[in-house]
Amino acid sequence: MERRETLKRWIGESQCLVFFGGAGISTESGIPDFRSADGLYRQTYQYPPETIVSHDFFTRHTEEFYRFYRERMLWPDAEPNAAHRALARLEREGRLSAVVTQNIDGLHQAAGSRTVLELHGSVHRNHCLSCGRTFDLPYIQQSEGIPRCICGGVIRPDVVLYGEPLEEDVMRRAAAAVAAADTLIVGGTSLAVYPAAGLIDFYRGSRLILINRTATPRDERADLLLRGSLGDILSDGL
């Protein structure tokens, strides 16, 4: 209880709060993560999931990529949970300056957050590899096999696949946001995927809050460490 009181006090005193999160914030909306005991990487497929969501696999086995992508990576009926809503509220109050996310589901925006830096892209944005025309998520869902543009080109999601670099501008803006924060909340991430996990090193303040269900390699760096549900903990912090 004392730690949650500290969280509430720090959030109340913050004028430039940044949240950096991963898949753990969306599991409470019913979207499976990747690395937990029940995550996608622990399930059995014809190819390892890490291989399927790679640049090379998309290029060589595009139809198989899309079969997995539609079945396991698109959750159009998922809705924002208490954690997403709490962060959106903090932004409306002028306390939260940015959400930096590794997620591609768009739930932060659905909850009302406006300054969202998507390190790994978004399933809601798609483009033709030939002419550059853009397409929304329903177009991908309603297509069969390999989705194609009216020009005949292959459409791909604007998500970062394994073997691809993160978008330089998004990383730059995320690093700047973290560096400028007076309070940094890191939640729902294993802090095991680089270069995204390295963003924590840009924080120079003394109020690093780490919220996760399980241990991470950076727990010792935290000024305040909390275990449990992000939705419950962040809601208590308001």
Side-chain angles (χ1 to χ4, degrees), residues 144-194:
E144 296 182 357
I146 301 173
R148 293 188 177 274
C149 177
I150 56 174
C151 78
V154 173
I155 298 170
R156 71 154 283 174
D158 288 350
V159 298
V160 178
L161 304 176
Y162 280 104
E164 297 178 338
L166 302 189
E167 187 177 335
E168 186 175 335
D169 180 62
V170 176
M171 276 294 290
R172 178 186 59 77
R173 291 168 61 201
V178 170
D182 59 20
T183 304
L184 176 63
I185 300 178
V186 179
T189 173
S190 65
L191 291 175
V193 179
Y194 285 81

Side-chain angles (χ1 to χ4, degrees), residues 198-219:
L199 283 172
I200 195 174
D201 295 324
F202 287 91
Y203 182 61
R204 295 292 180 264
S206 59
R207 291 186 171 184
L208 172 58
I209 303 163
L210 205 161
I211 306 171
N212 212 41
R213 291 185 181 275
T214 58
T216 78
R218 310 301 291 274
D219 284 359

Side-chain angles (χ1 to χ4, degrees), residues 58-129:
F58 174 84
T59 302
R60 295 172 179 268
H61 308 282
T62 311
E63 186 167 2
E64 185 66 26
F65 167 89
Y66 266 110
R67 184 177 296 113
F68 177 87
Y69 182 75
R70 290 190 184 97
E71 290 178 358
R72 298 297 180 182
M73 299 191 71
L74 300 182
W75 300 87
D77 296 328
E79 297 183 354
N81 59 56
H84 295 107
R85 294 192 295 271
L87 292 169
R89 177 180 169 185
L90 286 169
E91 184 181 36
R92 289 194 302 271
E93 293 175 350
R95 299 189 183 281
L96 182 76
S97 61
V99 168
V100 180
T101 180
Q102 295 170 281
N103 296 343
I104 59 176
D105 51 46
L107 290 181
H108 284 292
Q109 293 92 330
S113 291
R114 303 182 69 178
T115 304
V116 182
L117 302 174
E118 297 171 309
L119 299 177
H120 296 155
S122 172
V123 299
H124 294 278
R125 299 189 300 270
N126 306 272
H127 69 278
C128 173
L129 292 173

Side-chain angles (χ1 to χ4, degrees), residues 7-84:
L7 172 68
K8 187 172 184 177
R9 178 167 54 84
W10 285 4
I11 288 177
E13 295 172 350
S14 178
Q15 296 300 315
C16 188
L17 172 67
V18 169
F19 176 81
F20 170 40
I25 192 171
S26 291
T27 55
E28 294 176 35
S29 292
I31 299 178
D33 64 7
F34 290 86
R35 291 175 173 77
S36 69
D38 299 319
L40 287 178
Y41 288 176
R42 301 298 182 91
Q43 299 178 30
T44 302
Y45 301 98
Q46 183 178 357
Y47 301 93
E50 302 99 313
T51 298
I52 298 175
V53 293
S54 69
H55 174 84
D56 184 65
F57 194 91
F58 174 84
T59 302
R60 295 172 179 268
H61 308 282
T62 311
E63 186 167 2
E64 185 66 26
F65 167 89
Y66 266 110
R67 184 177 296 113
F68 177 87
Y69 182 75
R70 290 190 184 97
E71 290 178 358
R72 298 297 180 182
M73 299 191 71
L74 300 182
W75 300 87
D77 296 328
E79 297 183 354
N81 59 56
H84 295 107

